[in-house]
Amino acid sequence: MTATERVPAIDGWFTTSEPYTLIGAKCTDCATYVFPPRSGACPNPDCDSMELEPAPLSRRGTVWSYTENHYAPPAPYVAAEPFEPYALAAVQLEAEGIVILGQVAKGVMAADLSIGMEVEVDLQVLYRDADGVDHWIWTWAPAAPEASA
Amino acid sequence: MTATERVPAIDGWFTTSEPYTLIGAKCTDCATYVFPPRSGACPNPDCDSMELEPAPLSRRGTVWSYTENHYAPPAPYVAAEPFEPYALAAVQLEAEGIVILGQVAKGVMAADLSIGMEVEVDLQVLYRDADGVDHWIWTWAPAAPEASA
Amino acid sequence: MATERDLVVLGVGMHPWGKWGRNFVEYGLVAAKAALADAGMVWRDIQFVAGADTIRNGYPGFVAGSTFSQAMGWTGAQISSSYAACASGAQGMQSARAQILAGFADVAMVIGADTTPKGFFAPVGGERKEDPDWQRFHLLGATNPAFFALNARRRIDVFGDTPDDFAMVKVKNSKAGVANPYARFRKEFTLDDFAGSPIVSDPLRLLDICATSDGAAAVIICTPEYAKAKLGTLEGTVRIRAVANTTPTYPQVRLELPDIATDSNAVVAAPALGFKDSVAHNAYEQAGLGPEDLSCAEVYDLSTALELDWYENLGLCPEGEGASLVRSGATALGGRVPVNASGGLASFGEAIPAQAIAQVCELTWQLRGQADGHQVEDAKVGLAINQGLFGHGSCTILSK
Amino acid sequence: MATERDLVVLGVGMHPWGKWGRNFVEYGLVAAKAALADAGMVWRDIQFVAGADTIRNGYPGFVAGSTFSQAMGWTGAQISSSYAACASGAQGMQSARAQILAGFADVAMVIGADTTPKGFFAPVGGERKEDPDWQRFHLLGATNPAFFALNARRRIDVFGDTPDDFAMVKVKNSKAGVANPYARFRKEFTLDDFAGSPIVSDPLRLLDICATSDGAAAVIICTPEYAKAKLGTLEGTVRIRAVANTTPTYPQVRLELPDIATDSNAVVAAPALGFKDSVAHNAYEQAGLGPEDLSCAEVYDLSTALELDWYENLGLCPEGEGASLVRSGATALGGRVPVNASGGLASFGEAIPAQAIAQVCELTWQLRGQADGHQVEDAKVGLAINQGLFGHGSCTILSK
Ligand SMILES: [Zn+2]
Ligand SMILES: [Zn+2]
């Protein structure tokens, strides 16, 4: 299976081929960003636009806060059996002025994180469905130093 | 299987042995009736009682109105396949001053009914579950003339 | 005459009714922006947002006031999210009206939108043995049309109505709806069409019963002072004379959706005025008006036969004479008191939280003389009435 | 000083919090009857019923105003049914308050009850890809405690708080709750208990997070005229000085339940006052009071750390000094401004639609001097604040 065949757990929120990138939406009028991407109206109350177009977001950001789930979340989360604790991080994207929550790359735990730390978008398997198909989700992974902007 | 082993589709609303009787509740204070039976408060706004006790209702009543379902109702109704139209009747119980809706006995259709007609409580199978167990429900059946009060 | 307490309808807007299955929020946004444009206002002017909820669209539907406020852009405005089944929009109207009359806001938006599944309305999921809605579906298969049919059958057997009388309602409403750009079904039906329409719940046919639709409506209301400052005059403005939301009085002895049984009248006698009569009565009393004052009315024709009931509940004719009234042409466009000049639910289908708000939109256009092609001549007073499951009666009266 | 616009709390009643899994209506009935008894009234006196909805109990939960009205006995009263997540009770309060101040009723009941499943709150059923609540659970497993934990972690890393500071909140609240007959958990916890409490969402342990409970609360409010006619005097009555329901102002730059992302501040700068600060600010403004006037406060301690945030949002201390405040004893019974003298959610667990109403019950008892065993000395002004998902901030201020 090549990377481009990855099935996203939700359509249109991120690219499934490298470089992995979150996709938000951007108002064609006032240029405000939103994530997740949506149709409908611009959320800026002073902007009357109903045109939001897909917009790739910065691949890197800094950790605003983080936590670690020690119990399996309830459905509709599809938890692995046995459940393994994993971390979540809320990450600030500087250019877009948005904080986005995401799972942290497997194996990177709360103890490995700190506020202000640089992370970047990666993908990992969220769950395998009954048909054996893997569904992928974006993650926040510690940023590779060589690619630092 | 004897009649007493009949599994009711809902507990406590009717007897499952003859004579088949609907069971409402009656306020121990002001004697008002309610159906379906319930716990909680008396629905008479001038009565402060919270004691409602199970009370058998008149087995016979007169048809207030009726209809015939020509399409299978959606879940949580468990419709037979193929679906067979059946009648529903709203029946006035004189002594209790209540109109109660019910399925009409199988085979008795709208054309066989009229407003004011006398009917009595009977039971029939509502559905068979995945384990092969029949779940029974009350019905309104044309009243047997000999038992007329 | 209107008083200082009679708020002004400053703007109205709708999204056309249809069946697309899109996110309900998108429909609501279109209606909200249309209402703002109609009022000549911008979103930030709105001080209070009263959302009418939808219960089949997850969390955003439960907090409609919040959902639309966020979608339009958070401004810090106060909000409410109301649910009253088919009367949700009317409860939203009263929420906004009370906030304004209480002095918490000068101007408010009432908004509702829905996207609906195909076919019969089914109850929300899960096995809930104490929920009357679950009970009636699971134990009896008593759908909404079955309840409509019980009432229709009463009309036939007690008043001598015929299925043709019911069909006349659809014929009338579908004819009016042809000209309404917001209506979903813009096809005129004839009595002949009914023979080919399958029986759903005897005696009602598919054509007697309203469909479920997607749709949205929004209304902007304000104090007379606010309107005067904005418009320079109150001349010609549409005023809210009554919003009567009424519950039954025990014992409720008419079998009503979704209950399997009525209350008992063995110990406590039934009130002199039946529930649906009392809903209209309270509105007339609030407005200081009566049935003779109505130029037109929008009533909830969930079924054709139900419209005939409403004629009687509204006092447009004595009990049992609804069929004669529709046959006389009095309730058709051009008649004495046109009912459902919009085309009614027959032409729209039901978009639950939007419907009662859409009635106010329609009446506003009628009173302004903007109902092109389905205009009631010289409309001065309009009434909208509906009923939601679980004892939610609502009646709104507007006047010029 | 209270004005004519400051309504009177005439009666309050609760059903104890617990976990029995019975029909929520039964709990509500007990609370309603207790409030009526407290007010010396009968059910028929109530002119308006404002229900706070529960969304996990089928149709009756969606129409709480109707459900309780029918269960107590239909009287024809007007009703409303409101949903605003954890702030539902406060939205119900404002609904009733506005109806009264608008002149539609003199006296109203606000009521909410819930029965809740075990464990984490999960979203309502179905695959709804456009529902933020579905998204955060399905895609991230971001439970409510995970969101609480993100904020707690900020406190640790930015302000230097320690897990012990958080535990101090529970130690304080559990001690107060021991004496409250309506509290579910009446056990005093010590710092030592925390070591044995499992981590749920790092850095928060099970003892840091409030449980879900069954419970009910009802409040009866009326005009000062009505109260005076009934009581002969307004002396000693509890008055409603503010009910501020506030939404965020765009852009909302603090990550809040249930959203996966914040708004963007790239184009529009964030408002000077953060959302939760603005909720308190609006209430103070309505009441003409400030933090220095408070005798006590009930705040939504969904997590221990969250209570420290509220201290700062309420202006009880500067930002970042919440931990010092709890450590100083100022917010404990006997301190300068006791917070959660009821025991808080730590002792009650959360019964969503009842909780904000229960806060008003508690404050009423405090102001009347009836909070046996957990009485705040000489309480004159009390404040309740909470926040519901989807931008529902609410703050109520009562005074004697
Ligand atoms: Zn924009
Ligand atoms: Zn009684």
Side-chain angles (χ1 to χ4, degrees):
Chain A
M1 178 185 278
T2 69
T4 50
E5 286 167 343
R6 289 176 172 179
V7 175
I10 192 154
D11 290 329
W13 289 27
F14 51 88
T15 60
T16 50
S17 55
E18 295 191 77
Y20 303 123
T21 310
L22 290 174
I23 302 168
K26 190 176 180 182
C27 176
T28 57
D29 188 347
C30 76
T32 206
Y33 284 96
V34 297
F35 185 86
R38 71 189 76 151
S39 52
C42 174
N44 173 356
D46 295 313
C47 175
D48 204 38
S49 167
M50 294 191 75
E51 297 291 323
L52 297 168
E53 60 185 20
L57 305 183
S58 303
R59 295 195 57 254
R60 292 189 166 217
T62 53
V63 172
W64 179 81
S65 192
Y66 54 96
T67 181
E68 204 175 86
N69 277 347
H70 282 235
Y71 288 87
Y77 190 74
V78 185
E81 295 268 8
F83 175 76
E84 288 289 332
Y86 65 93
L88 289 164
V91 172
Q92 175 93 41
L93 304 188
E94 189 64 34
E96 294 84 359
I98 293 185
V99 171
I100 298 178
L101 192 59
Q103 292 195 353
V104 175
K106 278 195 178 83
V108 179
M109 303 305 285
D112 306 317
L113 298 168
S114 60
I115 286 176
M117 178 178 167
E118 193 169 20
V119 292
E120 66 183 357
V121 176
D122 198 356
L123 298 198
Q124 69 188 18
V125 174
L126 178 63
Y127 66 96
R128 177 166 296 185
D129 69 21
D131 299 327
V133 177
D134 285 337
H135 295 252
W136 294 71
I137 194 71
W138 84 90
T139 63
W140 295 117
E146 71 270 29
S148 184
Chain B
M1 179 186 278
T2 68
T4 51
E5 288 169 342
R6 290 176 171 179
V7 175
I10 193 155
D11 290 329
W13 289 26
F14 51 88
T15 59
T16 50
S17 53
E18 296 192 79
Y20 303 123
T21 309
L22 289 174
I23 302 167
K26 191 176 180 181
C27 176
T28 57
D29 188 344
C30 76
T32 207
Y33 284 96
V34 297
F35 185 85
R38 70 189 78 151
S39 51
C42 173
N44 173 356
D46 295 313
C47 175
D48 204 37
S49 168
M50 293 191 76
E51 296 291 324
L52 296 169
E53 59 185 22
L57 305 184
S58 303
R59 294 195 59 253
R60 292 190 166 216
T62 54
V63 171
W64 178 81
S65 193
Y66 55 96
T67 182
E68 205 175 87
N69 277 347
H70 282 236
Y71 288 87
Y77 190 73
V78 184
E81 296 268 8
F83 175 73
E84 289 287 333
Y86 67 94
L88 290 163
V91 172
Q92 175 93 40
L93 304 187
E94 188 65 32
E96 294 84 358
I98 292 184
V99 171
I100 297 179
L101 191 60
Q103 291 195 352
V104 174
K106 277 195 179 79
V108 180
M109 303 306 285
D112 306 316
L113 298 168
S114 60
I115 286 177
M117 178 178 168
E118 194 169 19
V119 292
E120 66 183 359
V121 175
D122 198 357
L123 298 198
Q124 68 187 19
V125 174
L126 179 63
Y127 66 96
R128 178 166 294 184
D129 70 20
D131 299 327
V133 177
D134 286 337
H135 294 254
W136 293 71
I137 195 71
W138 83 91
T139 63
W140 295 116
E146 72 269 30
S148 183
Chain C
M1 293 312 304
T3 72
E4 275 304 292
R5 282 177 64 79
D6 295 324
L7 303 181
V8 175
V9 179
L10 207 51
V12 297
M14 283 169 61
H15 183 289
W17 262 230
K19 199 81 171 185
W20 305 280
R22 297 209 307 273
N23 188 340
F24 75 100
V25 182
E26 294 183 38
Y27 308 137
L29 286 172
V30 170
K33 284 173 186 271
L36 288 169
D38 185 47
M41 296 173 71
V42 297
W43 169 242
R44 210 177 262 285
D45 294 332
I46 301 295
Q47 298 165 5
F48 187 89
V49 180
D53 296 342
T54 166
I55 60 170
R56 287 178 185 81
N57 290 283
Y59 224 129
F62 299 138
V63 291
S66 158
T67 296
F68 293 119
S69 296
Q70 181 170 29
M72 292 289 287
W74 290 123
T75 63
Q78 289 203 49
I79 60 177
S80 69
S81 298
S82 302
Y83 192 69
C86 288
S88 297
Q91 198 176 97
M93 280 290 290
Q94 177 63 5
S95 169
R97 182 181 180 224
Q99 295 291 334
I100 292 173
L101 286 173
F104 293 113
D106 301 308
V107 57
M109 178 182 285
V110 185
I111 180 168
D114 208 5
T115 184
T116 50
K118 288 206 172 180
F120 290 135
F121 273 124
V124 288
E127 188 187 38
R128 297 180 318 280
K129 296 192 173 183
E130 316 231 28
D131 181 344
D133 209 46
W134 182 89
Q135 293 168 355
R136 57 126 172 174
F137 274 103
H138 180 64
L139 300 174
L140 305 181
T143 60
N144 292 12
F147 279 83
F148 307 152
L150 293 170
N151 282 303
R153 170 55 61 186
R154 287 289 295 182
R155 292 199 68 88
I156 291 175
D157 286 16
V158 177
F159 300 144
D161 288 12
T162 67
D164 262 11
D165 293 330
F166 304 158
M168 279 295 293
V169 173
K170 174 81 166 188
V171 168
K172 168 184 75 71
N173 290 352
S174 68
K175 186 175 177 185
V178 167
N180 191 333
Y182 297 102
R184 172 178 171 195
F185 305 106
R186 297 179 61 184
K187 172 180 181 323
E188 193 173 339
F189 287 91
T190 66
L191 289 184
D192 290 342
D193 293 320
F194 275 71
S197 178
I199 297 275
V200 172
S201 294
D202 175 87
L204 298 178
R205 296 175 182 273
L206 192 55
L207 281 180
D208 286 300
I209 293 163
C210 97
T212 60
S213 292
D214 301 357
V219 167
I220 297 169
I221 63 176
C222 69
T223 59
E225 295 84 344
Y226 188 96
K228 193 162 181 190
K230 177 149 192 67
L231 305 171
T233 175
L234 288 173
E235 198 72 34
T237 55
V238 174
R239 306 290 286 269
I240 301 172
R241 303 292 295 274
V243 181
N245 292 338
T246 303
T247 58
T249 295
Y250 183 87
Q252 157 74 300
V253 295
R254 183 97 187 184
L255 189 68
E256 294 282 8
L257 264 168
D259 292 323
I260 282 179
T262 63
D263 290 334
S264 161
N265 64 1
V267 170
V268 182
L273 214 53
F275 172 46
K276 288 168 67 182
D277 289 336
S278 72
V279 177
H281 173 85
N282 288 349
Y284 287 137
E285 197 144 272
Q286 251 187 45
L289 295 168
E292 66 284 0
D293 297 310
L294 301 185
S295 312
C296 58
E298 292 286 312
V299 310
Y300 238 51
D301 55 322
L302 291 164
S303 83
T304 50
L306 189 64
E307 179 167 319
L308 304 183
D309 288 348
W310 285 121
Y311 293 171
E312 301 162 14
N313 300 128
L314 285 176
L316 300 181
C317 65
E319 191 181 16
E321 297 184 15
S324 307
L325 194 69
V326 73
R327 286 217 174 262
S328 77
T331 58
L333 268 173
R336 172 169 63 84
V337 52
V339 174
N340 286 332
S342 66
L345 297 179
S347 303
F348 276 75
E350 192 186 20
I352 297 177
Q355 205 74 42
I357 303 170
Q359 289 181 321
V360 174
C361 294
E362 169 68 14
L363 291 179
T364 300
W365 286 318
Q366 290 290 353
L367 295 173
R368 288 177 181 168
Q370 296 175 336
D372 290 348
H374 58 114
Q375 177 67 47
V376 174
E377 218 176 311
D378 194 28
K380 288 194 172 66
V381 176
L383 173 151
I385 193 162
N386 67 58
Q387 180 186 5
L389 274 71
F390 290 90
H392 292 104
S394 88
C395 187
T396 302
I397 299 178
L398 304 182
S399 77
K400 200 154 52 171
Chain D
M1 293 311 304
T3 72
E4 277 304 291
R5 281 178 64 79
D6 295 323
L7 302 181
V8 175
V9 179
L10 208 51
V12 297
M14 282 169 60
H15 183 289
W17 262 230
K19 198 82 172 184
W20 305 279
R22 296 209 307 273
N23 187 340
F24 75 98
V25 182
E26 294 182 36
Y27 308 137
L29 286 171
V30 169
K33 285 172 186 272
L36 288 169
D38 185 47
M41 296 174 71
V42 296
W43 169 241
R44 212 178 261 285
D45 294 333
I46 301 296
Q47 298 166 6
F48 187 89
V49 180
D53 297 342
T54 165
I55 60 170
R56 287 179 185 80
N57 290 280
Y59 224 129
F62 298 138
V63 291
S66 159
T67 296
F68 293 119
S69 296
Q70 180 169 30
M72 292 290 286
W74 290 123
T75 62
Q78 290 203 50
I79 60 177
S80 68
S81 298
S82 302
Y83 192 70
C86 288
S88 297
Q91 199 175 95
M93 280 290 290
Q94 177 64 3
S95 169
R97 181 180 181 227
Q99 295 290 334
I100 292 173
L101 287 173
F104 294 113
D106 302 308
V107 57
M109 178 182 285
V110 185
I111 180 168
D114 209 5
T115 184
T116 50
K118 289 206 171 178
F120 290 135
F121 273 124
V124 289
E127 188 189 37
R128 295 181 318 283
K129 297 191 172 182
E130 315 232 27
D131 181 343
D133 209 46
W134 182 89
Q135 293 168 354
R136 57 128 171 172
F137 274 105
H138 179 64
L139 299 175
L140 305 181
T143 60
N144 291 11
F147 279 83
F148 307 152
L150 292 170
N151 281 302
R153 169 58 59 186
R154 288 285 298 180
R155 293 199 67 88
I156 292 174
D157 286 15
V158 177
F159 301 144
D161 288 12
T162 67
D164 262 11
D165 293 329
F166 304 158
M168 280 294 293
V169 172
K170 174 82 168 189
V171 168
K172 168 184 74 69
N173 290 351
S174 67
K175 185 174 179 185
V178 167
N180 191 333
Y182 296 102
R184 172 177 171 194
F185 305 106
R186 297 178 61 184
K187 173 182 181 322
E188 192 172 339
F189 287 91
T190 66
L191 288 183
D192 290 341
D193 293 318
F194 275 71
S197 179
I199 297 274
V200 172
S201 293
D202 175 86
L204 298 178
R205 295 174 182 273
L206 192 56
L207 281 180
D208 285 300
I209 294 164
C210 97
T212 61
S213 292
D214 300 356
V219 168
I220 296 169
I221 64 176
C222 69
T223 60
E225 296 83 343
Y226 187 96
K228 194 163 184 190
K230 176 148 194 69
L231 305 171
T233 174
L234 288 173
E235 197 73 35
T237 55
V238 174
R239 305 291 286 270
I240 301 172
R241 303 292 295 274
V243 181
N245 293 338
T246 303
T247 59
T249 295
Y250 182 87
Q252 157 73 300
V253 295
R254 183 98 185 182
L255 189 67
E256 293 283 7
L257 265 167
D259 291 323
I260 282 179
T262 63
D263 290 333
S264 161
N265 64 1
V267 170
V268 182
L273 215 53
F275 172 46
K276 288 169 68 182
D277 289 336
S278 72
V279 177
H281 172 84
N282 288 349
Y284 287 136
E285 196 143 274
Q286 251 187 46
L289 296 168
E292 65 284 359
D293 297 308
L294 301 184
S295 312
C296 57
E298 293 286 312
V299 311
Y300 238 51
D301 55 322
L302 291 164
S303 82
T304 50
L306 189 63
E307 179 167 319
L308 304 183
D309 287 347
W310 285 123
Y311 294 170
E312 301 162 14
N313 300 129
L314 285 177
L316 300 181
C317 66
E319 190 181 17
E321 296 184 16
S324 306
L325 194 68
V326 72
R327 286 218 174 261
S328 77
T331 58
L333 268 172
R336 172 169 63 84
V337 51
V339 174
N340 286 332
S342 66
L345 296 179
S347 302
F348 276 74
E350 192 186 17
I352 297 177
Q355 205 75 41
I357 304 170
Q359 288 182 322
V360 174
C361 294
E362 169 68 15
L363 291 180
T364 299
W365 286 318
Q366 290 290 352
L367 294 173
R368 288 177 180 167
Q370 295 175 335
D372 290 349
H374 58 114
Q375 178 66 47
V376 174
E377 216 176 313
D378 193 28
K380 288 195 173 64
V381 176
L383 173 150
I385 194 162
N386 67 59
Q387 182 186 5
L389 273 71
F390 290 90
H392 292 103
S394 89
C395 187
T396 302
I397 299 178
L398 304 182
S399 78
K400 201 157 49 172

